[in-house]
Amino acid sequence: MQPQNEPRREMISWEEVDRLIDHLVPQFKREFTAMVMITRGGIIPGGMLADAMDITHILTAAVDFPAQQMQTDQSKLMMWPEFIQFPAEDKLIGRPTLIVDDVWGSGRTITAVKNRVSAAGGFPETCVLHFNPYRNLFGHVRPDYFAATTDAFIVYPWEVDRGTDQVLLGETP
């Protein structure tokens, strides 16, 4: 049984992931010549989309929002991102670039990547499997493309049974 203040959890099967990808592909309004997959959540959906869309210029971005002691929940949301890994500008300049992650919760990570791609001279658009408008920190801003809207904490099939990273349904993420 899940405590009242915990978000509802929903496990997604590989078949559902396939359906979500199939729902996304016809939505794209332009041809993308590059893709930036956000680690770790965007790697698998990004790979599936890259294959379906025949995108071969595939890059990754790793972003962290550093934790500091003595922070309130509100101040944690105001932290500047630390880019652990990011493509060189010459790989992005002038390219229509699809930025892929698994879920848009608060929107901080994908928005930070989108802004940096734009600053590098790329033309970014964002894509996620799931959009959670109830956690979104950016008002009416939302992903350019998403397959489903949810209020749940999504557990993807690649997050199950992974040794020390194992996801247990009874624990808080």
Side-chain angles (χ1 to χ4, degrees):
M1 186 152 99
Q2 194 166 304
Q4 282 186 326
N5 60 349
E6 294 294 320
R8 181 175 62 83
R9 290 178 176 264
E10 184 176 338
M11 290 190 76
I12 302 295
S13 68
W14 282 109
E15 292 77 21
E16 179 66 14
V17 172
D18 284 337
R19 283 190 291 274
L20 294 168
I21 296 293
D22 289 343
H23 184 73
L24 279 168
V25 171
Q27 292 182 41
F28 298 115
K29 301 173 191 160
R30 64 164 31 161
E31 184 174 325
F32 295 97
T33 61
M35 176 183 287
V36 175
M37 300 182 300
I38 297 175
T39 64
R40 296 180 314 185
I43 298 288
I44 292 174
M48 294 172 79
L49 284 167
D51 187 55
M53 299 167 65
D54 198 30
I55 299 173
T56 57
H57 191 82
I58 301 169
L59 309 160
T60 59
V63 184
D64 185 31
F65 288 87
Q68 293 180 355
Q69 295 178 352
M70 305 299 291
Q71 288 183 321
T72 65
D73 286 341
Q74 186 67 19
S75 67
K76 287 178 186 176
L77 296 176
M78 303 306 215
M79 296 293 299
W80 284 99
E82 177 185 341
F83 290 93
I84 299 165
Q85 176 186 7
F86 202 82
E89 284 187 10
D90 67 324
K91 305 294 184 206
L92 299 167
I93 195 164
R95 288 183 176 272
T97 304
L98 186 62
I99 301 167
V100 181
D101 207 351
D102 54 356
V103 65
W104 176 307
S106 68
R108 291 186 318 155
T109 301
I110 201 165
T111 299
V113 172
K114 179 180 182 176
N115 290 341
R116 186 141 175 209
V117 168
S118 183
F123 304 106
E125 293 187 22
T126 57
C127 176
V128 294
L129 295 179
H130 289 92
F131 170 51
N132 186 334
Y134 311 101
R135 291 191 52 225
N136 184 18
L137 297 177
F138 295 90
H140 296 294
V141 176
R142 52 194 256 170
D144 296 303
Y145 308 101
F146 57 96
T149 302
T150 187
D151 65 348
F153 178 83
I154 303 296
V155 180
Y156 294 98
W158 54 87
E159 296 175 319
V160 179
D161 296 324
R162 293 189 318 196
T164 58
D165 288 337
Q166 188 175 48
V167 175
L168 301 174
L169 287 178
E171 293 184 9
T172 304

